[in-house]
């Protein structure tokens, strides 16, 4: 049962780093034996209790709450706002439940295994994709009776169009990740792959991905140790090398920052230096989501920033990046602009001006952060069949006005209807640069 005080052992759902060394030594001594399954019965029970559908010996899918929201016409996730995915056609999955970090903000409370290298049985990638799609569609079918589910969206949701490889664990640890990505692309399923930057050699060997993320959870070595609690002793060097490798990738790359007040929210210069290493296409900033109390983390609501605080952080970071650019040199980052925001998720998007911003006939700036998914599927197929190269510019699409930072919709798609629980409407709707509220719940200036 969760919460029990037990000594760490190989079957624990949260093995301490110290205990992990002993576990690995024991496994190494029996290298000639058949490999074990990744997930123990205790871990499997904990994951199933939280709604995971386990696949084979090391993979899983789970229905995202945003999928259910958009099925009911209540708005899509930040990826819908930033990149134009259809949230109700997105499958959240992972081919590796194991991870090399034990981050303080992990929303899974570390019920998954931990490890630095792959040492378990290995399932076939086609089997994983087939099972993932099948189980995802089964979960979609089960939503038919939920009040408000729109029939047309429900039918469309039976076709998976996107895959967020960010459910839990470290997807890139799976030794056959390239085959899995290719299988997804062959089914016209776009891929959003998130890695914690602890396996640079796997990043270097990756086939094209629709959008490749590296989590930048801290701006310096000390805070990285505190926030990510990595198993690798050279975690900082691994992160820096992973970011550097992003420079040479032709497709979209993302530095993903999770802002945790009091933990990693002050060293703007450090973040700017890391982002400069990769010259990434996009910088995503998101305020940490408080996921409740657990023995795995001592975070509380005070660590979750408000949306206006995340916006202010993004503006400062953009200023620092553009100041570094002004200095010139090989290490200078490209120019970034404030492109999009999704207030519901406390998320903000910085995008490269040279890749995503244009000037229209009226002389106004327009953004192209959305993705032309049919075009990407075509380009990916050509690359797989004949090695044809393609770049970020080849599959971008126009970002709608409601998704642009500063729009009155605040990143909420106006084709949907905002739903608020009773008593949950915000007391204030706008703030000044110092965080002082300026408009009430109805959008009227305070004091008028």
């Amino acid at each position: 049962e969760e919460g029990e005080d037990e000594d760490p052992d190989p079957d624990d759902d949260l093995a301490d780093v110290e205990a992990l060394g002993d576990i690995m030594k024991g496994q190494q001594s029996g290298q000639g034996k058949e490999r074990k399954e990744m997930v123990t019965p205790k871990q499997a029970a904990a994951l199933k209790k939280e709604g995971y559908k386990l696949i084979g010996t090391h993979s899983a899918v789970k229905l995202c709450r945003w999928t259910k929201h958009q099925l009911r016409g209540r708005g899509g996730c930040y990826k819908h706002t930033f990149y134009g995915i259809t949230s109700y056609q997105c499958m959240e999955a992972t081919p590796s439940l194991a991870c090399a970090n034990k981050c303080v903000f992990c929303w899974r409370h570390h019920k998954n295994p931990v490890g630095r290298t792959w040492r378990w049985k290995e399932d076939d990638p086609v089997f994983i994709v087939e099972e993932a799609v099948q189980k995802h569609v089964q979960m979609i079918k089960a939503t038919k009776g939920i009040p408000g589910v729109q029939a047309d969206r429900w039918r469309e949701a039976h076709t998976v169009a996107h895959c967020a490889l960010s459910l839990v664990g470290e997807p890139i640890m799976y030794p056959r990740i390239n085959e899995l990505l290719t299988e997804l692309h062959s089914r016209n399923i776009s891929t959003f792959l998130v890695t914690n930057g602890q396996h640079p050699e796997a990043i270097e060997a990756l086939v094209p991905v629709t959008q490749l993320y590296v989590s930048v959870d801290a701006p310096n070595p000390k805070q990285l140790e505190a926030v990510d609690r990595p198993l690798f002793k050279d975690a900082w060097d691994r992160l820096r090398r992973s970011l550097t490798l992003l420079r040479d990738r032709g497709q979209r790359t993302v530095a993903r920052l999770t802002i945790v007040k009091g933990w990693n929210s002050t060293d703007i210069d450090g973040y700017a230096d890391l982002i400069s290493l990769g010259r990434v296409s996009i910088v995503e900033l998101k305020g940490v989501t408080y996921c409740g109390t657990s023995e795995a983390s001592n975070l509380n609501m005070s660590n979750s920033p408000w949306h206006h605080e995340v916006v202010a952080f993004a503006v400062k970071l953009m200023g620092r990046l553009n100041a570094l650019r002004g200095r010139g040199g090989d290490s200078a980052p490209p120019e970034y602009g404030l492109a999009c925001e999704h207030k519901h998720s406390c998320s903000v998007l910085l995008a490269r001006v040279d890749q995503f911003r244009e000037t229209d006939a009226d002389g106004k700036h327009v953004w192209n952060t959305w993705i032309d998914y049919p075009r990407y599927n075509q380009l990916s197929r050509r690359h797989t069949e004949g090695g044809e190269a393609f770049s970020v510019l080849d599959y971008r699409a126009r970002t709608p006005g409601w998704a642009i930072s500063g729009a009155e919709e605040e990143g909420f798609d106006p084709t949907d209807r905002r739903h608020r629980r009773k008593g949950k409407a915000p007391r204030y709707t706008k703030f000044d640069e110092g965080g002082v509220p300026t408009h009430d719940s109805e959008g009227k200036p305070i004091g008028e």
Side-chain angles (χ1 to χ4, degrees):
E1 180 138 357
E2 293 177 36
E4 291 181 343
D5 292 324
E6 298 178 338
D7 293 329
D9 61 64
D11 290 327
D12 266 346
D13 54 0
L14 180 59
D16 288 338
V17 180
E18 293 81 0
L20 186 65
D22 296 332
I23 297 169
M24 294 181 70
K25 288 179 181 177
Q27 290 173 337
Q28 289 170 356
S29 64
Q31 285 180 345
K33 300 178 182 178
E34 183 180 358
R35 290 191 171 192
K36 296 181 179 181
E37 294 186 1
M38 176 185 287
V39 182
T40 68
K42 185 174 181 179
Q43 290 168 338
L47 290 166
K48 289 177 181 178
K49 185 178 179 181
E50 293 196 356
Y52 291 85
K53 304 297 181 183
L54 301 186
I55 300 166
T57 64
H58 53 73
S59 306
V61 292
K62 187 179 182 183
L63 201 63
C64 175
R65 71 182 181 95
W66 287 108
T67 298
K68 291 179 279 189
H69 276 322
Q70 202 176 43
L71 279 171
R72 303 171 77 183
R74 294 183 173 183
C77 66
Y78 81 90
K79 287 191 183 75
H80 173 63
T81 298
F82 293 175
Y83 314 120
I85 78 161
T86 306
S87 299
Y88 59 78
Q89 290 184 288
C90 183
M91 175 176 71
E92 195 171 21
T94 182
S96 171
L97 288 159
C99 188
N101 286 350
K102 298 194 295 182
C103 305
V104 295
F105 55 75
C106 182
W107 56 354
R108 309 309 181 188
H109 294 313
H110 307 157
K111 293 179 176 63
N112 56 307
V114 291
R116 290 177 290 185
T117 57
W118 190 274
R119 58 184 190 280
W120 304 280
K121 287 183 178 179
E122 194 176 291
D123 296 330
D124 180 76
V126 175
F127 163 78
I128 294 172
V129 173
E130 288 179 348
E131 285 291 303
V133 171
Q134 181 182 10
K135 290 181 183 295
H136 176 82
V137 172
Q138 287 174 349
M139 289 187 283
I140 291 294
K141 290 180 178 179
T143 68
K144 188 175 183 179
I146 296 177
V149 168
Q150 299 179 12
D152 56 340
R153 292 187 177 187
W154 183 80
R155 288 190 294 268
E156 291 173 5
H158 287 66
T159 300
V160 177
H162 318 285
C163 182
L165 291 163
S166 57
L167 177 61
V168 67
E170 173 53 86
I172 211 169
M173 281 183 69
Y174 175 48
R176 301 176 70 180
I177 185 64
N178 280 341
E179 294 173 72
L180 183 133
L181 291 166
T182 301
E183 178 64 21
L184 287 167
H185 293 155
S186 73
R187 296 169 180 249
N188 292 330
I189 298 174
S190 65
T191 50
F192 293 78
L193 174 61
V194 180
T195 172
N196 57 30
Q198 294 301 293
H199 301 276
E201 67 289 342
I203 291 176
E204 191 171 20
L206 266 185
V207 297
V209 181
T210 311
Q211 193 154 285
L212 176 61
Y213 295 72
V214 170
S215 295
V216 182
D217 299 331
N220 55 63
K222 183 178 180 180
Q223 290 184 11
L224 187 72
E225 288 289 329
V227 173
D228 278 2
R229 299 186 293 195
L231 303 189
F232 284 106
K233 293 182 178 179
D234 59 343
W236 179 251
D237 292 334
R238 286 174 172 271
L239 175 62
R240 288 179 59 85
R241 186 182 168 208
S242 293
L243 289 167
T244 302
L245 288 168
L246 298 185
R247 285 188 172 219
D248 298 326
R249 297 195 63 84
Q251 298 73 44
R252 292 179 174 221
T253 55
V254 183
R256 184 176 187 176
L257 281 60
T258 300
I259 308 302
V260 189
K261 288 174 68 174
W263 287 74
N264 65 359
S265 57
T266 56
D267 186 1
I268 300 286
D269 289 351
Y271 282 116
D273 290 342
L274 288 175
I275 293 166
S276 297
L277 290 175
R279 298 177 61 86
V280 293
S281 306
I282 289 164
V283 182
E284 276 185 16
L285 302 96
K286 185 183 186 304
V288 70
T289 301
Y290 176 60
C291 300
T293 303
S294 78
E295 292 186 351
S297 172
N298 60 354
L299 298 185
N300 56 56
M301 282 296 295
S302 68
N303 299 118
S304 297
W306 295 96
H307 180 66
H308 69 270
E309 293 176 311
V310 178
V311 173
F313 188 97
V315 170
K316 289 180 182 177
L317 178 59
M318 180 179 66
R320 180 56 183 162
L321 284 166
N322 291 338
L324 290 176
R325 177 175 176 270
R327 296 181 182 179
D330 294 337
S331 61
E335 182 182 0
Y336 290 90
L338 190 61
C340 306
E341 61 181 301
H342 188 246
K343 187 175 182 179
H344 196 144
S345 297
C346 284
S347 299
V348 180
L349 182 72
L350 300 180
R352 281 179 58 161
V353 169
D354 61 330
Q355 293 180 341
F356 298 105
R357 197 173 78 183
E358 294 179 336
T359 303
D360 65 14
D362 297 326
K364 297 180 179 180
H365 291 314
V366 293
W367 288 98
N368 299 289
T369 65
W370 276 33
I371 294 172
D372 183 338
Y373 293 101
R375 177 62 174 158
Y376 177 82
N377 294 333
Q378 181 185 56
L379 294 167
S380 176
R381 191 174 299 111
R382 289 179 181 174
H383 176 83
T384 300
E385 295 173 352
E388 184 176 329
F390 63 100
S391 74
V392 174
L393 302 180
D394 295 325
Y395 60 101
R396 62 183 187 172
R398 182 63 50 85
T399 311
W402 59 263
I404 300 300
S405 181
E408 62 179 3
E409 293 89 351
E410 299 173 325
F412 186 87
D413 189 338
T415 61
D416 286 336
R417 184 173 182 178
R418 190 161 226 157
H419 174 80
R420 299 189 191 275
R421 295 179 183 177
K422 290 183 179 180
K424 293 294 184 181
R427 184 175 299 177
Y428 307 110
T429 55
K430 292 184 179 180
F431 304 81
D432 64 17
E433 293 182 357
V436 177
T438 59
H439 291 68
D440 63 18
S441 60
E442 297 180 353
K444 297 179 180 178
I446 295 174
E448 290 188 3

